[in-house]
Amino acid sequence: MEIKINNNPRHTSVDFENLSFGEVFTDHMLVCNFINNKWNEPKIIPYQNISIDPSTSALHYGQAIFEGMKAYKDTKGKVWLFRPKENFIRFNKSCKRMKIPEIPEEYFINGLKKLVSLDSNWVKSGQGNSLYIRPFVFASQPTVQASPSNEYKFIIICSPAKSYYNESKFNVLIAEKFSRASSGGIGYAKAAGNYGASFYPTSIAQDKGYQQIIWTDSNEHKYIEEAGTMNVFFRIDNKLITAPTNDRILDGITRKSVIQIAKDINIDIEVRPFSVDELVSSANNKSLKEVFGAGTAVVILPISGFGYKNIDYNINLPENSYAKRIKKMITDIQYNVSKDPYGWRVGI
Ligand SMILES: *Cc1c(COP(=O)(O)O)cnc(C)c1O
């Protein structure tokens, strides 16, 4: 792989204590072009602007997808990825749905490892610190023809991150009108447009004082699907419940990890449709003990309350919550603090 080193590295001048998420990027980026019907060898180059034609297809038709993953540094300074193969598989699943040519595994995995090791001094050790990795691909053919592009760009950029969403209060509004995804659509893909389309309904919820939306099924708004850009879990008494994945729900790697760990520590877990009615009645009869979101950005985020049909419900996190226990087990694997019986941790 061709590597061009950045001779003006910036990591020494970055204030790592005061980072706002996703605004500072590392010294290098990976770029790989699809032209003449094939993916060419990726290159690593200094982080820089890219120049595109105003007719670039992705800007008009949204043929673009991405992934989100993280690298973690242990106390000895070694850098680890968490289940990167899963991100690779999902990347190509998203590509396929958006009629983007799939990326060869070695370009994604080896390219990613090379890039992260080159910029490893941007990964700070200590729980909560990480390097957020953003692989993405977009249709780069200069054309306004409404058809699949014949050129694409696959790029990986990295941004140092501290844990975010760390407000103590995280209240969600149950969607009664808007939907994130519909049956037969692209909800299961990390397609750019899914996120763009969620900004407006989310901003309405935020204006009403909620932090995020709980998305419900687009057919009836009866069943709970996701919390913002996280999968969502409910604890009723000592049972943990999450919705099965379908074509409207993103198959989260954190979700999968939570389910596996819950099983292994003998938490009773049910993967089944969970209705808004059941949420409201369990909140009313006090059997609802916890609600939490699960995703790479935060691992697990306890939800402190929800609003539905103009009523607000509070959820008080119990001592020794499932959320805390499971989060610790996942982060201990990520930061190489504990053994990893699953083989989830991958060294750079
Ligand atoms: C990325 C994402 C998730 C979480 O997936 P992870 O693999 O756990 O990070 C959940 N829901 C949506 C809509 C997402 O985009």
PDB file of all heavy atoms in Angstrom, residues 233-260:
ATOM      1  N   PHE A 233     -32.833  -1.154  24.788  1.00  0.00           N
ATOM      2  CA  PHE A 233     -33.154  -2.299  25.656  1.00  0.00           C
ATOM      3  C   PHE A 233     -34.057  -1.831  26.795  1.00  0.00           C
ATOM      4  O   PHE A 233     -33.917  -0.709  27.280  1.00  0.00           O
ATOM      5  CB  PHE A 233     -31.869  -2.887  26.275  1.00  0.00           C
ATOM      6  CG  PHE A 233     -31.008  -3.641  25.287  1.00  0.00           C
ATOM      7  CD1 PHE A 233     -30.199  -2.958  24.396  1.00  0.00           C
ATOM      8  CD2 PHE A 233     -31.008  -5.033  25.258  1.00  0.00           C
ATOM      9  CE1 PHE A 233     -29.392  -3.655  23.482  1.00  0.00           C
ATOM     10  CE2 PHE A 233     -30.206  -5.730  24.357  1.00  0.00           C
ATOM     11  CZ  PHE A 233     -29.401  -5.036  23.470  1.00  0.00           C
ATOM     12  N   PHE A 234     -34.958  -2.715  27.220  1.00  0.00           N
ATOM     13  CA  PHE A 234     -35.874  -2.440  28.322  1.00  0.00           C
ATOM     14  C   PHE A 234     -35.720  -3.531  29.365  1.00  0.00           C
ATOM     15  O   PHE A 234     -35.652  -4.719  29.014  1.00  0.00           O
ATOM     16  CB  PHE A 234     -37.319  -2.424  27.812  1.00  0.00           C
ATOM     17  CG  PHE A 234     -37.515  -1.415  26.719  1.00  0.00           C
ATOM     18  CD1 PHE A 234     -37.301  -1.767  25.380  1.00  0.00           C
ATOM     19  CD2 PHE A 234     -37.850  -0.109  27.017  1.00  0.00           C
ATOM     20  CE1 PHE A 234     -37.429  -0.828  24.367  1.00  0.00           C
ATOM     21  CE2 PHE A 234     -37.984   0.841  26.003  1.00  0.00           C
ATOM     22  CZ  PHE A 234     -37.774   0.474  24.675  1.00  0.00           C
ATOM     23  N   ARG A 235     -35.660  -3.116  30.636  1.00  0.00           N
ATOM     24  CA  ARG A 235     -35.636  -4.120  31.702  1.00  0.00           C
ATOM     25  C   ARG A 235     -36.968  -4.058  32.442  1.00  0.00           C
ATOM     26  O   ARG A 235     -37.313  -3.036  33.041  1.00  0.00           O
ATOM     27  CB  ARG A 235     -34.495  -3.835  32.673  1.00  0.00           C
ATOM     28  CG  ARG A 235     -34.524  -4.761  33.877  1.00  0.00           C
ATOM     29  CD  ARG A 235     -33.363  -4.432  34.800  1.00  0.00           C
ATOM     30  NE  ARG A 235     -33.462  -5.158  36.051  1.00  0.00           N
ATOM     31  CZ  ARG A 235     -32.650  -4.955  37.089  1.00  0.00           C
ATOM     32  NH1 ARG A 235     -31.689  -4.032  37.003  1.00  0.00           N
ATOM     33  NH2 ARG A 235     -32.786  -5.644  38.198  1.00  0.00           N
ATOM     34  N   ILE A 236     -37.719  -5.182  32.359  1.00  0.00           N
ATOM     35  CA  ILE A 236     -38.981  -5.294  33.088  1.00  0.00           C
ATOM     36  C   ILE A 236     -38.708  -6.288  34.215  1.00  0.00           C
ATOM     37  O   ILE A 236     -38.384  -7.451  33.939  1.00  0.00           O
ATOM     38  CB  ILE A 236     -40.114  -5.852  32.193  1.00  0.00           C
ATOM     39  CG1 ILE A 236     -40.213  -5.060  30.880  1.00  0.00           C
ATOM     40  CG2 ILE A 236     -41.439  -5.896  32.933  1.00  0.00           C
ATOM     41  CD1 ILE A 236     -40.858  -3.724  30.969  1.00  0.00           C
ATOM     42  N   ASP A 237     -38.828  -5.831  35.457  1.00  0.00           N
ATOM     43  CA  ASP A 237     -38.365  -6.617  36.616  1.00  0.00           C
ATOM     44  C   ASP A 237     -36.942  -7.104  36.312  1.00  0.00           C
ATOM     45  O   ASP A 237     -36.082  -6.273  36.107  1.00  0.00           O
ATOM     46  CB  ASP A 237     -39.346  -7.745  36.962  1.00  0.00           C
ATOM     47  CG  ASP A 237     -40.642  -7.157  37.541  1.00  0.00           C
ATOM     48  OD1 ASP A 237     -40.547  -6.171  38.304  1.00  0.00           O
ATOM     49  OD2 ASP A 237     -41.736  -7.651  37.202  1.00  0.00           O
ATOM     50  N   ASN A 238     -36.710  -8.409  36.209  1.00  0.00           N
ATOM     51  CA  ASN A 238     -35.331  -8.838  35.938  1.00  0.00           C
ATOM     52  C   ASN A 238     -35.122  -9.356  34.525  1.00  0.00           C
ATOM     53  O   ASN A 238     -34.150 -10.042  34.255  1.00  0.00           O
ATOM     54  CB  ASN A 238     -34.891  -9.880  36.977  1.00  0.00           C
ATOM     55  CG  ASN A 238     -34.654  -9.198  38.317  1.00  0.00           C
ATOM     56  OD1 ASN A 238     -34.237  -8.037  38.363  1.00  0.00           O
ATOM     57  ND2 ASN A 238     -34.960  -9.900  39.388  1.00  0.00           N
ATOM     58  N   LYS A 239     -36.057  -9.031  33.663  1.00  0.00           N
ATOM     59  CA  LYS A 239     -35.964  -9.497  32.277  1.00  0.00           C
ATOM     60  C   LYS A 239     -35.543  -8.355  31.350  1.00  0.00           C
ATOM     61  O   LYS A 239     -36.056  -7.239  31.460  1.00  0.00           O
ATOM     62  CB  LYS A 239     -37.349 -10.033  31.873  1.00  0.00           C
ATOM     63  CG  LYS A 239     -37.363 -10.700  30.533  1.00  0.00           C
ATOM     64  CD  LYS A 239     -38.719 -11.339  30.273  1.00  0.00           C
ATOM     65  CE  LYS A 239     -38.899 -12.548  31.186  1.00  0.00           C
ATOM     66  NZ  LYS A 239     -40.268 -13.106  31.100  1.00  0.00           N
ATOM     67  N   LEU A 240     -34.592  -8.660  30.464  1.00  0.00           N
ATOM     68  CA  LEU A 240     -34.123  -7.656  29.511  1.00  0.00           C
ATOM     69  C   LEU A 240     -34.749  -7.951  28.147  1.00  0.00           C
ATOM     70  O   LEU A 240     -34.747  -9.101  27.704  1.00  0.00           O
ATOM     71  CB  LEU A 240     -32.592  -7.730  29.446  1.00  0.00           C
ATOM     72  CG  LEU A 240     -31.812  -6.541  28.898  1.00  0.00           C
ATOM     73  CD1 LEU A 240     -32.149  -5.251  29.633  1.00  0.00           C
ATOM     74  CD2 LEU A 240     -30.304  -6.822  29.016  1.00  0.00           C
ATOM     75  N   ILE A 241     -35.288  -6.906  27.506  1.00  0.00           N
ATOM     76  CA  ILE A 241     -35.996  -7.100  26.238  1.00  0.00           C
ATOM     77  C   ILE A 241     -35.452  -6.139  25.181  1.00  0.00           C
ATOM     78  O   ILE A 241     -35.216  -4.966  25.464  1.00  0.00           O
ATOM     79  CB  ILE A 241     -37.513  -6.841  26.421  1.00  0.00           C
ATOM     80  CG1 ILE A 241     -38.079  -7.773  27.506  1.00  0.00           C
ATOM     81  CG2 ILE A 241     -38.289  -7.025  25.108  1.00  0.00           C
ATOM     82  CD1 ILE A 241     -39.438  -7.347  28.038  1.00  0.00           C
ATOM     83  N   THR A 242     -35.250  -6.656  23.981  1.00  0.00           N
ATOM     84  CA  THR A 242     -34.917  -5.779  22.849  1.00  0.00           C
ATOM     85  C   THR A 242     -35.609  -6.310  21.601  1.00  0.00           C
ATOM     86  O   THR A 242     -35.876  -7.515  21.488  1.00  0.00           O
ATOM     87  CB  THR A 242     -33.392  -5.631  22.644  1.00  0.00           C
ATOM     88  OG1 THR A 242     -33.144  -4.523  21.745  1.00  0.00           O
ATOM     89  CG2 THR A 242     -32.749  -6.891  22.052  1.00  0.00           C
ATOM     90  N   ALA A 243     -35.883  -5.408  20.670  1.00  0.00           N
ATOM     91  CA  ALA A 243     -36.595  -5.794  19.447  1.00  0.00           C
ATOM     92  C   ALA A 243     -35.710  -6.659  18.554  1.00  0.00           C
ATOM     93  O   ALA A 243     -34.490  -6.467  18.513  1.00  0.00           O
ATOM     94  CB  ALA A 243     -37.016  -4.539  18.689  1.00  0.00           C
ATOM     95  N   PRO A 244     -36.304  -7.602  17.832  1.00  0.00           N
ATOM     96  CA  PRO A 244     -35.528  -8.332  16.826  1.00  0.00           C
ATOM     97  C   PRO A 244     -35.167  -7.370  15.681  1.00  0.00           C
ATOM     98  O   PRO A 244     -35.905  -6.416  15.430  1.00  0.00           O
ATOM     99  CB  PRO A 244     -36.494  -9.413  16.333  1.00  0.00           C
ATOM    100  CG  PRO A 244     -37.856  -8.972  16.737  1.00  0.00           C
ATOM    101  CD  PRO A 244     -37.734  -7.978  17.848  1.00  0.00           C
ATOM    102  N   THR A 245     -34.049  -7.616  15.011  1.00  0.00           N
ATOM    103  CA  THR A 245     -33.705  -6.738  13.895  1.00  0.00           C
ATOM    104  C   THR A 245     -34.589  -7.103  12.695  1.00  0.00           C
ATOM    105  O   THR A 245     -35.065  -8.225  12.568  1.00  0.00           O
ATOM    106  CB  THR A 245     -32.224  -6.865  13.498  1.00  0.00           C
ATOM    107  OG1 THR A 245     -31.938  -8.233  13.267  1.00  0.00           O
ATOM    108  CG2 THR A 245     -31.321  -6.338  14.582  1.00  0.00           C
ATOM    109  N   ASN A 246     -34.826  -6.120  11.860  1.00  0.00           N
ATOM    110  CA  ASN A 246     -35.570  -6.332  10.618  1.00  0.00           C
ATOM    111  C   ASN A 246     -35.057  -5.307   9.619  1.00  0.00           C
ATOM    112  O   ASN A 246     -34.014  -4.685   9.881  1.00  0.00           O
ATOM    113  CB  ASN A 246     -37.088  -6.193  10.872  1.00  0.00           C
ATOM    114  CG  ASN A 246     -37.431  -4.824  11.452  1.00  0.00           C
ATOM    115  OD1 ASN A 246     -36.780  -3.825  11.148  1.00  0.00           O
ATOM    116  ND2 ASN A 246     -38.450  -4.759  12.293  1.00  0.00           N
ATOM    117  N   ASP A 247     -35.732  -5.112   8.512  1.00  0.00           N
ATOM    118  CA  ASP A 247     -35.164  -4.191   7.510  1.00  0.00           C
ATOM    119  C   ASP A 247     -35.301  -2.711   7.880  1.00  0.00           C
ATOM    120  O   ASP A 247     -34.822  -1.848   7.161  1.00  0.00           O
ATOM    121  CB  ASP A 247     -35.720  -4.491   6.098  1.00  0.00           C
ATOM    122  CG  ASP A 247     -37.220  -4.245   5.979  1.00  0.00           C
ATOM    123  OD1 ASP A 247     -37.873  -3.901   7.000  1.00  0.00           O
ATOM    124  OD2 ASP A 247     -37.755  -4.405   4.858  1.00  0.00           O
ATOM    125  N   ARG A 248     -35.926  -2.440   9.033  1.00  0.00           N
ATOM    126  CA  ARG A 248     -36.012  -1.045   9.492  1.00  0.00           C
ATOM    127  C   ARG A 248     -35.038  -0.749  10.631  1.00  0.00           C
ATOM    128  O   ARG A 248     -34.912   0.397  11.050  1.00  0.00           O
ATOM    129  CB  ARG A 248     -37.438  -0.724   9.974  1.00  0.00           C
ATOM    130  CG  ARG A 248     -38.512  -0.922   8.921  1.00  0.00           C
ATOM    131  CD  ARG A 248     -39.885  -0.540   9.452  1.00  0.00           C
ATOM    132  NE  ARG A 248     -40.252  -1.291  10.635  1.00  0.00           N
ATOM    133  CZ  ARG A 248     -40.908  -2.459  10.621  1.00  0.00           C
ATOM    134  NH1 ARG A 248     -41.269  -2.998   9.482  1.00  0.00           N
ATOM    135  NH2 ARG A 248     -41.199  -3.070  11.747  1.00  0.00           N
ATOM    136  N   ILE A 249     -34.424  -1.785  11.164  1.00  0.00           N
ATOM    137  CA  ILE A 249     -33.582  -1.620  12.355  1.00  0.00           C
ATOM    138  C   ILE A 249     -32.125  -1.916  12.009  1.00  0.00           C
ATOM    139  O   ILE A 249     -31.827  -2.901  11.341  1.00  0.00           O
ATOM    140  CB  ILE A 249     -34.086  -2.538  13.491  1.00  0.00           C
ATOM    141  CG1 ILE A 249     -35.504  -2.105  13.909  1.00  0.00           C
ATOM    142  CG2 ILE A 249     -33.124  -2.516  14.674  1.00  0.00           C
ATOM    143  CD1 ILE A 249     -36.093  -2.888  15.058  1.00  0.00           C
ATOM    144  N   LEU A 250     -31.243  -1.048  12.479  1.00  0.00           N
ATOM    145  CA  LEU A 250     -29.810  -1.232  12.260  1.00  0.00           C
ATOM    146  C   LEU A 250     -29.325  -2.344  13.194  1.00  0.00           C
ATOM    147  O   LEU A 250     -29.580  -2.296  14.392  1.00  0.00           O
ATOM    148  CB  LEU A 250     -29.121   0.110  12.556  1.00  0.00           C
ATOM    149  CG  LEU A 250     -27.766   0.433  11.957  1.00  0.00           C
ATOM    150  CD1 LEU A 250     -26.678  -0.393  12.604  1.00  0.00           C
ATOM    151  CD2 LEU A 250     -27.734   0.299  10.452  1.00  0.00           C
ATOM    152  N   ASP A 251     -28.630  -3.295  12.615  1.00  0.00           N
ATOM    153  CA  ASP A 251     -28.149  -4.455  13.377  1.00  0.00           C
ATOM    154  C   ASP A 251     -26.855  -4.065  14.116  1.00  0.00           C
ATOM    155  O   ASP A 251     -25.758  -4.295  13.625  1.00  0.00           O
ATOM    156  CB  ASP A 251     -27.908  -5.600  12.374  1.00  0.00           C
ATOM    157  CG  ASP A 251     -27.587  -6.910  13.052  1.00  0.00           C
ATOM    158  OD1 ASP A 251     -27.608  -6.974  14.301  1.00  0.00           O
ATOM    159  OD2 ASP A 251     -27.303  -7.877  12.328  1.00  0.00           O
ATOM    160  N   GLY A 252     -27.007  -3.473  15.285  1.00  0.00           N
ATOM    161  CA  GLY A 252     -25.871  -2.893  16.010  1.00  0.00           C
ATOM    162  C   GLY A 252     -24.926  -3.949  16.569  1.00  0.00           C
ATOM    163  O   GLY A 252     -25.357  -4.997  17.062  1.00  0.00           O
ATOM    164  N   ILE A 253     -23.639  -3.640  16.510  1.00  0.00           N
ATOM    165  CA  ILE A 253     -22.615  -4.541  17.052  1.00  0.00           C
ATOM    166  C   ILE A 253     -22.635  -4.459  18.583  1.00  0.00           C
ATOM    167  O   ILE A 253     -22.432  -5.457  19.263  1.00  0.00           O
ATOM    168  CB  ILE A 253     -21.238  -4.183  16.445  1.00  0.00           C
ATOM    169  CG1 ILE A 253     -21.297  -4.427  14.927  1.00  0.00           C
ATOM    170  CG2 ILE A 253     -20.121  -4.991  17.088  1.00  0.00           C
ATOM    171  CD1 ILE A 253     -20.271  -3.685  14.123  1.00  0.00           C
ATOM    172  N   THR A 254     -22.916  -3.289  19.107  1.00  0.00           N
ATOM    173  CA  THR A 254     -23.053  -3.161  20.566  1.00  0.00           C
ATOM    174  C   THR A 254     -24.264  -3.963  21.028  1.00  0.00           C
ATOM    175  O   THR A 254     -24.198  -4.666  22.046  1.00  0.00           O
ATOM    176  CB  THR A 254     -23.215  -1.678  20.957  1.00  0.00           C
ATOM    177  OG1 THR A 254     -22.279  -0.897  20.204  1.00  0.00           O
ATOM    178  CG2 THR A 254     -22.967  -1.476  22.440  1.00  0.00           C
ATOM    179  N   ARG A 255     -25.380  -3.875  20.300  1.00  0.00           N
ATOM    180  CA  ARG A 255     -26.574  -4.649  20.632  1.00  0.00           C
ATOM    181  C   ARG A 255     -26.253  -6.141  20.728  1.00  0.00           C
ATOM    182  O   ARG A 255     -26.601  -6.810  21.696  1.00  0.00           O
ATOM    183  CB  ARG A 255     -27.648  -4.404  19.561  1.00  0.00           C
ATOM    184  CG  ARG A 255     -28.890  -5.286  19.675  1.00  0.00           C
ATOM    185  CD  ARG A 255     -29.814  -5.067  18.476  1.00  0.00           C
ATOM    186  NE  ARG A 255     -30.971  -5.955  18.513  1.00  0.00           N
ATOM    187  CZ  ARG A 255     -30.960  -7.211  18.088  1.00  0.00           C
ATOM    188  NH1 ARG A 255     -29.845  -7.736  17.583  1.00  0.00           N
ATOM    189  NH2 ARG A 255     -32.056  -7.953  18.169  1.00  0.00           N
ATOM    190  N   LYS A 256     -25.556  -6.642  19.692  1.00  0.00           N
ATOM    191  CA  LYS A 256     -25.177  -8.061  19.669  1.00  0.00           C
ATOM    192  C   LYS A 256     -24.325  -8.413  20.873  1.00  0.00           C
ATOM    193  O   LYS A 256     -24.469  -9.487  21.450  1.00  0.00           O
ATOM    194  CB  LYS A 256     -24.333  -8.340  18.411  1.00  0.00           C
ATOM    195  CG  LYS A 256     -25.125  -8.807  17.235  1.00  0.00           C
ATOM    196  CD  LYS A 256     -24.176  -9.339  16.164  1.00  0.00           C
ATOM    197  CE  LYS A 256     -24.295  -8.449  14.964  1.00  0.00           C
ATOM    198  NZ  LYS A 256     -23.789  -8.921  13.729  1.00  0.00           N
ATOM    199  N   SER A 257     -23.397  -7.509  21.208  1.00  0.00           N
ATOM    200  CA  SER A 257     -22.483  -7.763  22.331  1.00  0.00           C
ATOM    201  C   SER A 257     -23.248  -7.760  23.655  1.00  0.00           C
ATOM    202  O   SER A 257     -22.969  -8.576  24.533  1.00  0.00           O
ATOM    203  CB  SER A 257     -21.371  -6.703  22.356  1.00  0.00           C
ATOM    204  OG  SER A 257     -20.765  -6.604  21.077  1.00  0.00           O
ATOM    205  N   VAL A 258     -24.214  -6.842  23.791  1.00  0.00           N
ATOM    206  CA  VAL A 258     -25.035  -6.784  25.013  1.00  0.00           C
ATOM    207  C   VAL A 258     -25.821  -8.079  25.167  1.00  0.00           C
ATOM    208  O   VAL A 258     -25.872  -8.667  26.253  1.00  0.00           O
ATOM    209  CB  VAL A 258     -25.998  -5.570  24.978  1.00  0.00           C
ATOM    210  CG1 VAL A 258     -27.026  -5.643  26.112  1.00  0.00           C
ATOM    211  CG2 VAL A 258     -25.225  -4.253  25.049  1.00  0.00           C
ATOM    212  N   ILE A 259     -26.413  -8.562  24.088  1.00  0.00           N
ATOM    213  CA  ILE A 259     -27.220  -9.789  24.145  1.00  0.00           C
ATOM    214  C   ILE A 259     -26.335 -10.974  24.575  1.00  0.00           C
ATOM    215  O   ILE A 259     -26.700 -11.753  25.453  1.00  0.00           O
ATOM    216  CB  ILE A 259     -27.906 -10.065  22.780  1.00  0.00           C
ATOM    217  CG1 ILE A 259     -28.959  -8.985  22.493  1.00  0.00           C
ATOM    218  CG2 ILE A 259     -28.536 -11.461  22.750  1.00  0.00           C
ATOM    219  CD1 ILE A 259     -29.560  -9.043  21.082  1.00  0.00           C
ATOM    220  N   GLN A 260     -25.147 -11.060  23.969  1.00  0.00           N
ATOM    221  CA  GLN A 260     -24.230 -12.165  24.299  1.00  0.00           C
ATOM    222  C   GLN A 260     -23.822 -12.130  25.767  1.00  0.00           C
ATOM    223  O   GLN A 260     -23.878 -13.148  26.465  1.00  0.00           O
ATOM    224  CB  GLN A 260     -22.990 -12.058  23.402  1.00  0.00           C
ATOM    225  CG  GLN A 260     -21.955 -13.132  23.623  1.00  0.00           C
ATOM    226  CD  GLN A 260     -22.433 -14.495  23.134  1.00  0.00           C
ATOM    227  OE1 GLN A 260     -22.823 -14.630  21.977  1.00  0.00           O
ATOM    228  NE2 GLN A 260     -22.427 -15.488  24.012  1.00  0.00           N
TER     229      GLN A 260
END
